[in-house]
Amino acid sequence: MNDPTPTPLPSADAHQGLHSEQGALRGEHPGRAAQPVIKVVDLAWLEFTKPDLDRAETFAHDFGFITAARTDDTLHLRGAMAGPHCLVIRRGSASRFVGPAFQAADAADLDRLARATGHKVRTLTEYGQGRAVDLLDPSGIPVRVVHGVTEHPARPLHQPLVLNTGTTAAAARVNATQRPPRKPSQVQRLGHVVLSTRVFRRALDWYLQHLGLIVSDFLYLDGQRDRGPTMAFIRCDRGSEPADHHTLAMHLGPDTGYVHSAYQVADLDTLAAGGAYLRERGYHHSWGIGRHIQGSQIFDYWRDPDRFMLEHFADGDVFDNTLEPGWAAMSASGLAQWGPPATRDFLGTTPSPGALLQAISALREDNEIDRARLLGLMKALNK
C-alpha cells in the first residue's frame, strides 16, 4: 500500500541566485528588530566642521556638488535630485565629522522617538524649517532624526549614455559617437555613510531598534563566525518600496567614526570622466574603478583636501523588506567583483603611530576589540 504522506520538499534557500551564497545559521543575528521605535526612510545629510570653507567648496564643485547656501561660517551642499542638502560643513578649528541626520517618515515618529529615548523634539532654525530629535549612538556619534526640512527642487539630470551592446538586432546608437565630457561628475544624491566602531554589536542593535533599519549583508571574520558578525550593510525598511542596499554600513575597528560617504552619479562614463577631471586637478585617488560585491555598486574613491574619503557610485542594488541578510567572510579581496586590488589607503592599513595608538587604546578599553578580533581584522584586510 502506498504511503499517502507526501514527501516534504527541501526548504528553499532564500539566498540562492540572489545577493548572497550564504544565509544565517540557526541562532545568528536576524538583522532586524522585532518592534523598532520608528522606521526612518532615508539618510538626510552628513555634518562636518572644517577650517577652510573656500577650499572645501572648491573640492565640492570639482567632485560634482552644487552649493545650496553659503555664509561666512556654513556651507550647504546638495545634489541634482530633489531633496534636502547632502552635506553641511561648518567653520571649525579642525576638520571633523560631526554625525549623520536621518529622515523620519512623519512628524509623529519624532514624538515617538523622543518619548522612547527621553529626549526632546526641537525646532530646526538653521535649515529653514523642520523639527529634529538629537541622539547619541553607543559609539558616541551624534545622530539627528529630522522631519519637515526644506527640500531643494530637482535640477536637470545628466542622462546615462545610450549603449550599443552588440546583442540586439538593431543598434541603439547609429551614426553617432560617444564623447562623454571630462568634467565634474554630477552628484545626484547622497547614498550612504560608513562608520567604524569599537562596540559594533551594541551600535548595530541601537540603529535597528531605534531607527528601524534592517541588514542586507553581514560580514564575519574567517574562523570567528561563532562570535558574530563584524560588519553590516544596513538599509531602510520601506516595506514593499525598494531601498538602497545600504544607507548605513558599520564595521568593528580600533577607531570610531567616519570611514567614507558615497554619492550617486548617472553611470560608469560619468564616474570615470569625473575621476579623470579630479586626477587632472591633483586630488588624491584612493581606490577604483571597480564593482563591489555587497551592493554591486560601480565605485571610485577619492580623498578631499582634509583627507575625508568620498565615493562616486552608480548602479547599486535596491532591496525591499522581504530579503533576509546574506553572510560572507570578510576579506580585502572580497570587496570587489572586478577592479584593482584594494589599496592600503582605502583599507586604512598604512602603518602609522596614530593607528598603533588606536589599537593599543582599543585593547585596553571595555569594548568588543580583543587580541583575537584585532588579529582577525588584520588578517582579513591582507587577504
Side-chain angles (χ1 to χ4, degrees), residues 106-145:
D106 55 52
D109 280 348
L110 294 186
D111 298 322
R112 189 178 306 114
L113 183 61
R115 288 194 301 269
T117 59
H119 289 73
K120 295 181 179 181
V121 180
R122 71 177 182 88
T123 300
L124 287 172
T125 58
E126 61 267 49
Y127 304 108
Q129 62 180 10
R131 301 163 74 228
V133 176
D134 293 321
L135 308 171
L136 281 179
D137 78 4
S139 303
I141 297 172
V143 175
R144 179 172 290 169
V145 181

Side-chain angles (χ1 to χ4, degrees), residues 31 40-46 97 99-103 137-139 141-145 189-197 199-219 231-238 243-251 257-262 294-295 297 311 313 317:
V40 296
V41 294
D42 209 346
L43 186 61
W45 64 78
L46 305 176
F97 173 63
F102 291 87
Q103 293 189 61
D137 78 4
S139 303
I141 297 172
V143 175
R144 179 172 290 169
V145 181
R189 63 182 179 92
L190 168 62
H192 63 258
V193 64
V194 180
L195 304 175
S196 178
T197 175
V199 289
F200 171 79
R201 178 60 186 263
R202 286 172 51 201
L204 170 67
D205 290 345
W206 186 89
Y207 280 97
L208 304 192
Q209 178 60 37
H210 289 85
L211 305 189
L213 299 169
I214 54 179
V215 176
S216 298
D217 278 289
F218 281 123
L219 299 183
M231 185 166 187
F233 297 87
I234 312 164
R235 70 187 185 275
C236 294
D237 181 356
R238 299 178 186 164
D244 285 346
H245 173 270
H246 55 286
T247 295
L248 169 69
M250 289 192 303
H251 69 76
Y258 178 91
V259 178
H260 76 258
S261 52
Q294 282 77 27
Q297 300 96 334
E311 174 190 2
F313 78 91
D317 294 335

Side-chain angles (χ1 to χ4, degrees), residues 4 11 20 102 105 149 175 186 268 302 327 333 351 358 360 368 374:
S11 59
S20 174
F102 291 87
V149 298
N175 294 337
Q186 183 191 56
L268 172 59
W302 294 85
W327 288 73
S333 61
Q358 284 181 334
I360 294 172
E368 297 170 30
L374 196 56

Side-chain angles (χ1 to χ4, degrees), residues 10-331:
S11 59
D13 181 354
H15 304 276
Q16 187 65 39
L18 293 175
H19 72 291
S20 174
E21 295 178 359
Q22 301 181 47
L25 302 177
R26 185 181 298 275
E28 287 188 317
H29 199 298
R32 61 186 72 197
Q35 293 182 316
V37 178
I38 67 169
K39 294 181 179 181
V40 296
V41 294
D42 209 346
L43 186 61
W45 64 78
L46 305 176
E47 297 201 19
F48 296 82
T49 64
K50 297 187 177 187
D52 190 337
L53 295 189
D54 290 335
R55 185 175 69 173
E57 187 172 32
T58 296
F59 171 80
H61 292 171
D62 288 342
F63 192 79
F65 292 105
I66 303 163
T67 296
R70 172 75 193 270
T71 68
D72 289 341
D73 296 316
T74 307
L75 173 64
H76 290 194
L77 300 167
R78 58 162 295 187
M81 288 183 168
H85 38 260
C86 298
L87 296 175
V88 177
I89 304 175
R90 303 185 191 284
R91 189 182 304 279
S93 59
S95 296
R96 183 174 66 90
F97 173 63
V98 177
F102 291 87
Q103 293 189 61
D106 55 52
D109 280 348
L110 294 186
D111 298 322
R112 189 178 306 114
L113 183 61
R115 288 194 301 269
T117 59
H119 289 73
K120 295 181 179 181
V121 180
R122 71 177 182 88
T123 300
L124 287 172
T125 58
E126 61 267 49
Y127 304 108
Q129 62 180 10
R131 301 163 74 228
V133 176
D134 293 321
L135 308 171
L136 281 179
D137 78 4
S139 303
I141 297 172
V143 175
R144 179 172 290 169
V145 181
V146 303
H147 181 264
V149 298
T150 300
E151 296 199 353
H152 306 288
R155 297 285 190 92
L157 293 176
H158 295 172
Q159 297 303 309
L161 294 181
V162 176
L163 304 178
N164 286 336
T165 64
T167 59
T168 56
R173 190 182 75 256
V174 178
N175 294 337
T177 59
Q178 296 283 37
R179 300 292 186 269
R182 187 171 297 193
K183 64 180 184 180
S185 302
Q186 183 191 56
V187 168
Q188 296 178 339
R189 63 182 179 92
L190 168 62
H192 63 258
V193 64
V194 180
L195 304 175
S196 178
T197 175
R198 298 179 179 181
V199 289
F200 171 79
R201 178 60 186 263
R202 286 172 51 201
L204 170 67
D205 290 345
W206 186 89
Y207 280 97
L208 304 192
Q209 178 60 37
H210 289 85
L211 305 189
L213 299 169
I214 54 179
V215 176
S216 298
D217 278 289
F218 281 123
L219 299 183
Y220 58 87
L221 295 178
D222 195 19
Q224 298 186 38
R225 181 167 180 171
D226 60 331
R227 297 191 64 185
T230 51
M231 185 166 187
F233 297 87
I234 312 164
R235 70 187 185 275
C236 294
D237 181 356
R238 299 178 186 164
S240 60
E241 179 187 348
D244 285 346
H245 173 270
H246 55 286
T247 295
L248 169 69
M250 289 192 303
H251 69 76
L252 179 67
D255 55 344
T256 295
Y258 178 91
V259 178
H260 76 258
S261 52
Y263 305 88
Q264 180 177 285
V265 301
D267 61 2
L268 172 59
D269 278 278
T270 301
L271 179 146
Y277 181 89
L278 288 169
R279 186 175 286 106
E280 288 173 350
R281 277 148 186 80
Y283 294 111
H284 180 81
H285 186 231
S286 183
W287 182 37
I289 299 171
R291 186 183 280 276
H292 280 307
I293 295 179
Q294 282 77 27
S296 303
Q297 300 96 334
I298 296 173
F299 64 81
D300 199 26
Y301 291 91
W302 294 85
R303 296 273 186 187
D304 76 4
D306 297 285
R307 295 291 299 165
F308 289 110
M309 189 187 299
L310 294 87
E311 174 190 2
H312 283 139
F313 78 91
D315 190 32
D317 294 335
V318 293
F319 294 168
D320 63 24
N321 71 345
T322 64
L323 216 58
E324 297 298 319
W327 288 73
M330 180 184 289
S331 69

